[in-house]
DNA sequence: AATTAGCACTCGAATAATGAGAGTGCCAAT
DNA sequence: ATTGGCACTCTCATTATTCGAGTGCTAATT
């Protein structure tokens, strides 16, 4: 077990390392105000800490830097995050709340997160396929042009213009809409498409060309919505360029690629979705070789009705956890509450 | 004036440089099939070409590389672009056409462009403030929740949910909508807001809270649309990481920053908007110190009604112009034609 | 008059040699 | 248990050295 002095030294060492980014030597540590021991003593302690795997020396004659294990201990035991200033919290909350629909909320949150933290922000959005259709509307733009509006969970709308082969009357559109609204509302995307297929197979013969196109258009819209924007948003990649630890073009290229491929991050965020609160993944803990020099901080959120997502940041392993953690925490909580504001009424 | 042989050598030199990226020496050039002269002769010619400013030697004992002036001559006189394969053209066209509304079209075009060329793609979107409102619809989501749908130019729709303080009936909504549709359709965003303000000042007293909120919501939606997504899209930044010429973290950081700031690129694209066809900016021609090691290829497009935009790519000055130019050309033409398909009927 | 071979020269990139500085580990003294 | 002292190690920056590629110039050749 670590003695009080050992812990103190480890803590100081890590704090210094996080601040300066350079290996910390025994002399430097010994001169710190709260440390009343000589460099030699510090060296002895450091040798012990190294033996336990909390710190390591990059080479014989550099100071020590914390290992992932050391950082883990630091985050779990030593770190005391002061809460975000009320002012900043409030600013964040209002910017996020005012941004519009669910997509826009996550967009804004993501942008703010990457700007504020100086890290790469990631948002895993709730699975659209589980969203329930709450309204369908057809808007007649011109004789042969119709705008399909699908509303999901009462807080997200998807548009799709469709072109008709024949003129259609407002009346016909009205009837189509009310048919859709009685038959499909409350269903998930998948269910809605199934139902549509089912109902249509009999009716299709009776429908004229315009009607068919409308149905087709609605199906397209459903499909577009389903496959639409990938469920993962990554923003602020360029922030990575500023960190010396990652200042290697090859590595940067690989990291940037991993952001586009999505798989890597997705598997990481999936882990986080289960955990009910904030999580910190340090280096290897991310489960990816590539992210070894990085840390990831995540926090899940949900928009009610079991639609759950995750947001977080990715940055160099040496990041100001003290500052970043509260930001992720607060942002997730804001998004969570904003998205829950209008819990859809469960139908059927 | 350049003699035939001089031109040939310059052309060969540039082609080799574009392919290999290394300075080209007299020996290498002399051994080329179509060049029947000795290295010494080549050296004499090269000395002349250097005197004229077409090529330069990075240092005494390297070969020569083309200057911007040289590349300019190459692009203007020597370059023969073979048209894009019909197959690829067709693929591009269908992917772009099927992507949805105007925003989505430009989005897809931008993505494809960056993927296909391996460069950074940029799209300056037509000024939203000039778009004309073609339809307004209010969709009642629940007693106190309404979705405002604004349709612009018959091909773009903007959604906005609004929250009411008091219940509202479908009937009331209907009346509001028809009021909007008679008073505001055909106006630009700015005009619509003016008109709204005007008309409302008198009426406001007669409206109940719900109505007022709707008007407010519509105003918000107009404003959101106006300020909405910045008019500039930049995609595929990460592509820059692969080029040796730009393999300097500081420079990359600056470039990435310039992509976020938008001003730099905007002023460049503004130049291109005037030109009626494809344009190539080489190095300094971009007008930006920062883009000195880069080239930019642009092509304007318009969606009718004087709504004009520009798309293009930015990459290292040493890029396969032969391959890239046709891609930008074709993509711009596809976007142009897709966006023009539904030319809005000019109103009033 | 144009082309070419020959040769001295320059410069950059790679490799090796050198020295200074930081920090350690360990031993003996406190 | 702690500390001062000291030899030792390793990195980083600086300086030399070498090698090769490619040039520019001159004189010879066609």
């Amino acid at each position: 077990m670590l003695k009080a002095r050992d812990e103190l030294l480890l803590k100081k060492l890590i704090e210094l390392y996080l601040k300066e980014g350079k290996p910390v030597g025994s002399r430097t540590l010994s001169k710190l105000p709260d440390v009343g021991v000589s460099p030699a003593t510090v060296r002895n302690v450091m040798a012990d800490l190294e033996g336990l795997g909390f710190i390591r020396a990059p080479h014989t004659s550099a100071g020590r830097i914390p290992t992932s294990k050391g950082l883990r201990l630091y985050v779990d035991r030593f770190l005391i995050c002061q809460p975000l200033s009320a002012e900043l919290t409030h600013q964040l909350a209002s910017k996020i709340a005012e941004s519009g629909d669910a997509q826009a909320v996550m967009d804004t949150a993501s942008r703010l997160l990457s700007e504020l933290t100086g890290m790469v922000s990631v948002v895993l959005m709730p699975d659209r396929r589980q969203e329930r259709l709450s309204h369908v509307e057809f808007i007649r733009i011109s004789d042969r042009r119709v705008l399909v509006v699908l509303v999901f969970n009462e807080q997200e709308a998807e548009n799709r213009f469709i072109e008709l082969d024949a003129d259609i009357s407002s009346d016909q559109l009205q009837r189509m809409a009310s048919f859709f609204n009685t038959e499909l509302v409350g269903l998930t995307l998948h269910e809605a498409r199934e139902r549509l297929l089912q109902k249509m197979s009999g009716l299709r013969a009776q429908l004229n060309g315009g009607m068919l196109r409308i149905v087709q258009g609605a199906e397209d819209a459903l499909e577009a919505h389903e496959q639409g924007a990938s469920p993962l948003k990554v923003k602020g990649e360029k922030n990575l360029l500023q960190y010396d630890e990652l200042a290697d073009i090859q590595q940067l290229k690989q990291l940037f690629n991993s952001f586009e491929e999505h798989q890597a991050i997705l598997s990481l965020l999936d882990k986080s979705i289960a955990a009910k609160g904030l999580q910190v993944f340090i280096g290897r803990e991310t489960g990816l070789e590539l992210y070894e020099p990085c840390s990831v901080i995540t926090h899940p959120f949900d928009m009610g009705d079991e639609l759950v997502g995750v947001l977080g940041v990715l940055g160099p392993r040496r990041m100001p956890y003290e500052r970043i953690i509260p930001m992720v925490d607060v942002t997730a909580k804001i998004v969570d509450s904003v998205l829950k504001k209008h819990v859809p009424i469960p139908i059927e």
Side-chain angles (χ1 to χ4, degrees), chain A:
Chain A
M1 203 56 263
L2 287 180
K3 285 196 296 202
R5 192 182 61 185
D6 301 352
E7 285 197 353
L8 177 73
L9 283 174
L10 179 55
K11 177 162 177 258
K12 293 276 179 196
L13 187 149
I14 294 180
E15 280 168 358
L16 246 133
Y17 171 75
L18 289 184
K19 188 148 59 142
E20 308 289 347
K22 288 176 299 195
V24 181
S26 56
R27 232 178 96 77
T28 321
L29 224 43
S30 126
K31 275 194 293 194
L32 249 45
D34 297 346
V35 183
V37 292
S38 76
T41 311
V42 175
R43 281 203 286 280
N44 289 329
V45 174
M46 293 209 296
D48 291 350
L49 290 173
E50 180 156 17
L52 292 169
F54 292 123
I55 59 181
R56 67 188 187 83
H59 56 85
T60 324
S61 147
R64 304 298 217 291
I65 58 174
T67 59
S68 292
K69 188 177 170 189
L71 284 172
R72 165 59 47 203
L73 188 67
Y74 171 76
V75 166
D76 288 345
R77 304 256 327 259
F78 304 153
L79 189 63
I80 303 150
C81 294
Q82 69 275 54
L84 221 54
S85 82
E87 191 192 2
L88 186 53
T89 307
H90 189 260
Q91 274 182 26
L92 266 179
S94 65
K95 278 189 189 159
I96 292 175
E98 282 165 14
S99 43
D101 68 7
Q103 292 300 317
V105 162
M106 291 184 273
D107 235 65
T108 309
S110 175
R111 207 196 67 239
L112 290 173
L113 209 47
S114 83
E115 282 172 8
L116 255 61
T117 60
M119 308 281 149
V120 179
S121 80
V122 291
V123 179
L124 172 60
M125 293 180 283
D127 188 354
R128 295 188 131 184
R129 285 167 304 184
Q130 288 177 33
E131 291 184 343
R132 291 180 182 281
L133 202 58
S134 48
H135 208 87
V136 179
E137 195 81 22
F138 298 116
I139 300 179
R140 192 167 170 281
I141 302 296
S142 67
D143 286 347
R144 303 199 167 185
R145 200 163 160 75
V146 172
L147 174 64
V148 181
V149 180
L150 303 180
V151 181
F152 293 94
N153 284 21
E154 309 203 343
Q155 50 179 332
E156 271 181 280
E158 181 93 9
N159 299 321
R160 184 108 188 158
F161 287 95
I162 52 181
E163 223 60 51
L164 305 179
D165 304 328
D167 295 2
I168 193 160
S169 70
S170 305
D171 197 48
Q172 285 176 301
L173 274 180
Q174 199 81 41
R175 269 185 293 141
M176 290 298 291
S178 75
F179 168 78
F180 273 70
N181 277 315
T182 39
E183 291 296 332
L184 306 182
V185 160
L187 303 182
T188 65
L189 277 169
H190 184 69
E191 291 164 354
R193 292 180 66 189
E194 292 270 300
R195 178 79 60 98
L196 205 53
L197 227 62
Q198 224 174 63
K199 290 271 168 187
M200 284 297 122
S201 61
L203 262 60
R204 216 172 267 263
Q206 306 168 26
L207 294 170
N208 67 25
M211 298 287 220
L212 264 177
R213 280 294 293 137
I214 298 269
V215 174
Q216 183 61 46
E219 277 177 4
D220 285 357
L222 286 172
E223 190 170 334
H225 183 72
E226 187 164 350
Q227 304 183 342
S230 138
L232 184 65
K233 260 192 215 311
V234 181
K235 276 201 160 85
E237 294 95 323
K238 69 137 201 171
N239 282 332
L240 289 191
L241 292 173
Q242 72 190 286
Y243 302 108
D244 295 345
E245 299 96 298
L246 308 174
D248 172 77
I249 302 255
Q250 289 313 311
Q251 190 172 35
L252 283 172
K253 207 196 292 184
Q254 290 188 316
L255 285 172
F256 275 66
N257 276 329
S258 83
F259 298 153
E260 289 212 344
E261 306 245 341
H262 287 186
Q263 301 166 307
I265 301 192
L266 279 179
S267 72
L268 177 56
L269 296 185
D270 273 345
K271 277 190 235 163
S272 157
I273 223 168
K276 273 300 162 210
L278 185 135
Q279 277 208 302
V280 181
F281 300 88
I282 299 166
R284 280 262 157 67
E285 296 172 3
T286 55
L288 268 114
E289 184 105 17
L290 180 57
Y291 294 161
E292 217 243 299
C294 300
S295 281
V296 179
I297 301 179
T298 62
H299 198 304
F301 61 87
D302 72 280
M303 40 197 284
D305 207 15
E306 295 188 4
L307 285 167
V308 45
V310 186
L311 61 73
V313 299
L314 179 152
R317 205 161 56 176
R318 176 197 151 226
M319 64 165 75
Y321 294 93
E322 199 176 333
R323 207 166 56 75
I324 307 292
I325 289 180
M327 285 182 180
V328 174
D329 192 59
V330 165
T331 307
K333 282 170 183 159
I334 292 172
V335 168
D336 192 280
S337 95
V338 169
L339 292 185
K340 259 193 204 121
K341 219 168 175 179
H342 319 289
V343 182
I345 304 102
I347 317 185
E348 28 172 357

